[in-house]
Amino acid sequence: MLRRITALGLGLVLLAGCGNESASETPGGAGDSPSTAAAAITQADAEAAFDGLGELGDAWKHKDCAKIAYLTTWAEAALGESLCDAARNGRPAPGFTAYTDPEFYLPDSEGGSGDAPWFAVLAHKPKPAYFVFVRSEGRWRLGAGPIPVVGDAPAIEGEVRAAEADAGIALRARLVPTRHVAFLTDAAGVSGVRFASGDPMRDLLRDLVRAPSSASPDRVETDVRLEGPSRAIALPDGAALVFHALRVVYTQRPGSGRSSLVHPRWSAADLRAFTGRSAPGAVTGSDLVVLATRVAKDNELTTVGLRRTLAGITSGASG
């Protein structure tokens, strides 16, 4: 079961800048191993973790990379590892905003999937956004967030089940990340995965499809990978709300007979901050796309929340 708890609180949270890139399956971050003795999450645990985001904001303000690593896991740890170094190299550090009016969704231990204990928060103000906290190495860390709500957040009234409590819901939820990869790597639509008109995933697919032609005469290859595990809660209508992350990777090489890029995807300032060069040859950059997705009983996918952030740039071609 999950317990739904509302409370007033204040979080100072990361609003990372946006970028454009692709990815592949990577670990979920240090400490994301299954818990052998998961205890029930209390309201005090959740409120303290959410209110403690101010400490993470302070770490970003002072570019304290070690502190950022200590306070984060999963998607936020993957971002912090590269973005903090880039900030030390002159790139502006991510900005912050205060979120209030949190609503907590707390999985009980019997509803767990065997992964590390976690809970989700929907902060309603100033604009609705989700956060996911994961217990790692004896403390609660921010795993993902903010994930701005892009439509209507699903209503969750009273007590609801963890997705793992129902085999059918659990299976649909587990397949959500791989169905996203299938959609984004299948421009012809052969996979059968669909998103409705206006869904942000269709915009991301268009960007991936257009990347090679828009960079001509440079050559661009794209890839989409899973980033760590997914986590899901059941919804009253038999659907599920799934929190997951994708890494979208772009590899850009100079065209035939050239030694430098003509139309780099990234600004000279970003290239310099991440690679130390403002005009490198081949480069590989990636965006981290953190998502909240509703999967219905009929397997229809709807993007509920999304944040896309430039996760890093390296010199040379990946793979």
Side-chain angles (χ1 to χ4, degrees):
M1 302 290 289
L2 273 96
R3 286 159 292 142
R4 174 182 178 274
I5 303 172
T6 58
L8 291 178
L10 176 66
L12 198 63
V13 297
L14 168 64
L15 284 179
C18 295
N20 293 324
E21 293 146 63
S22 23
S24 54
E25 187 166 8
T26 57
D32 276 5
S33 57
S35 172
T36 57
I41 305 164
T42 68
Q43 179 178 354
D45 290 335
E47 291 184 343
F50 183 73
D51 291 343
L53 287 173
E55 189 176 358
L56 179 58
D58 187 66
W60 273 106
K61 179 180 178 181
H62 293 93
K63 302 174 186 176
D64 187 340
C65 300
K67 187 71 170 290
I68 292 167
Y70 178 85
L71 296 171
T72 60
T73 188
W74 185 24
E76 299 308 317
L79 287 172
E81 184 177 0
S82 57
L83 294 183
C84 188
D85 284 341
R88 286 180 167 181
N89 290 333
R91 191 173 191 262
F96 300 86
T97 192
Y99 279 84
T100 60
D101 194 14
E103 185 174 322
F104 298 91
Y105 302 106
L106 313 180
D108 288 332
S109 58
E110 69 265 21
S113 64
D115 292 326
W118 68 279
F119 68 89
V121 181
L122 174 60
H124 292 274
K125 297 177 181 178
K127 293 182 179 179
Y130 288 104
F131 301 83
V132 178
F133 291 84
V134 180
R135 189 155 183 86
S136 174
E137 298 182 356
R139 58 188 175 275
W140 290 104
R141 306 188 193 199
L142 180 65
I147 310 171
V149 174
V150 297
D152 295 324
I156 304 177
E157 298 295 338
E159 290 189 343
V160 298
R161 295 167 297 167
E164 294 82 3
D166 183 295
I169 296 176
L171 178 60
R172 289 196 298 274
R174 284 196 296 269
L175 291 176
V176 164
T178 54
R179 293 183 69 201
H180 276 73
V181 172
F183 175 78
L184 293 171
T185 56
D186 175 31
V190 177
S191 69
V193 181
R194 301 283 186 272
F195 286 86
S197 176
D199 192 287
M201 296 310 296
R202 291 170 66 110
D203 295 333
L204 179 52
L205 176 61
R206 278 191 289 270
D207 181 69
L208 289 168
V209 170
R210 294 171 180 171
S213 59
S214 63
S216 182
D218 302 328
R219 295 171 294 166
V220 173
E221 298 173 0
T222 62
D223 190 16
V224 181
R225 309 165 189 170
L226 305 180
E227 182 79 18
S230 62
R231 297 172 171 89
I233 58 177
L235 298 175
D237 58 358
L241 180 62
V242 184
F243 302 100
H244 57 114
L246 304 173
R247 185 176 289 269
V248 182
V249 179
Y250 296 83
T251 298
Q252 188 171 7
R253 300 177 176 87
S256 179
R258 297 179 181 273
S259 60
S260 60
L261 301 175
V262 177
H263 301 299
R265 288 186 59 86
W266 307 276
S267 69
D270 280 342
L271 288 168
R272 188 165 49 250
F274 284 105
T275 71
R277 301 172 59 192
S278 58
V283 291
T284 298
S286 65
D287 288 348
L288 203 62
V289 183
V290 187
L291 295 149
T293 301
R294 181 183 185 274
V295 55
K297 293 179 68 174
D298 63 359
N299 277 322
E300 180 183 5
L301 299 175
T302 303
T303 303
V304 174
L306 180 149
R307 186 175 106 235
R308 184 179 181 184
T309 307
L310 176 62
I313 308 170
T314 58
S315 297
S318 67

